[in-house]
Amino acid sequence: MAAPSGAVWTALLLVTAALALAGAVSEPTTVPFDVRPGGVVHSFSQDVGPGGKFTCTFTYASQGGTNEQWQMSLGTSEDSQHFTCTIWRPQGKSYLYFTQFKAEVRGAEIEYAMAYSKAAFERESDVPLKNEEFEVAKTAVSHRPGAFKSELSKLVIVAKAARSEL
């Protein structure tokens, strides 16, 4: 098994730091998936936490090029009250033209989210999207139609368990 790249370590460090705010951290789970061009809407989803308490779903449509290998990393705090979902292209910048994107969480509400046009790779740093290019709601981060410039390489979400009504 190859050693994780700098981008993987950066993402895992960000996940760990975010979860450290909520207490001890469980080992994050990273799952590879293909982002496929063709203009068709695709989704990729993963559960994390005891009994699949939280779900992170990435829905997108993109054009140009060929499939790109992306990853989704999920981690939870030991008390299962916080979780993170990081979706990114480990090789840094994506060469696909995204016509739309949305990352949704289930079982939690977003406390922090950021989208990036370029993910950290080797000596390069993350390059965030401009705030007007995306919007953050209670349970989703998505492109802002008309303002999103179609470049996406990374999404980071930190969410807190939704309160259940008794």
Side-chain angles (χ1 to χ4, degrees):
M1 183 170 166
S5 71
V8 171
W9 284 115
T10 301
L12 292 176
L13 181 61
L14 181 59
V15 166
T16 302
L19 289 174
L21 298 173
V25 178
S26 68
E27 195 65 34
T29 301
T30 300
V31 181
F33 67 99
D34 282 339
V35 169
R36 301 177 301 234
V40 178
V41 175
H42 297 282
S43 286
F44 181 78
S45 188
Q46 285 292 297
D47 296 331
V48 68
K53 180 177 181 173
F54 304 115
T55 302
C56 186
T57 302
F58 178 52
T59 304
Y60 67 91
S62 66
Q63 295 281 3
T66 58
N67 290 359
E68 289 183 347
Q69 182 80 182
W70 282 51
Q71 295 183 347
M72 181 182 283
S73 288
L74 300 143
T76 61
S77 60
E78 246 179 47
D79 65 2
S80 297
Q81 293 303 301
H82 288 82
F83 92 104
T84 63
C85 176
T86 303
I87 303 157
W88 85 99
R89 182 164 195 257
Q91 292 79 17
K93 183 166 177 46
S94 172
Y95 294 98
L96 297 176
Y97 177 90
F98 284 83
T99 55
Q100 64 180 19
F101 76 84
K102 184 177 200 177
E104 296 177 274
V105 296
R106 184 184 51 80
E109 294 181 358
I110 295 173
E111 290 191 328
Y112 169 83
M114 182 53 74
Y116 300 88
S117 61
K118 186 175 179 184
F121 182 67
E122 295 178 349
R123 294 184 177 152
E124 304 281 326
S125 297
D126 287 336
V127 177
L129 293 182
K130 293 180 178 155
N131 288 336
E132 61 267 14
E133 291 186 73
F134 68 102
E135 54 194 10
V136 179
K138 197 183 323 186
T139 60
V141 180
S142 58
H143 75 286
R144 194 169 273 153
F148 175 54
K149 294 183 174 56
S150 302
E151 294 183 39
L152 183 69
S153 292
K154 182 177 180 180
L155 289 164
V156 176
I157 297 172
V158 178
K160 184 175 183 176
R163 292 183 219 191
S164 58
E165 299 295 323
L166 296 177

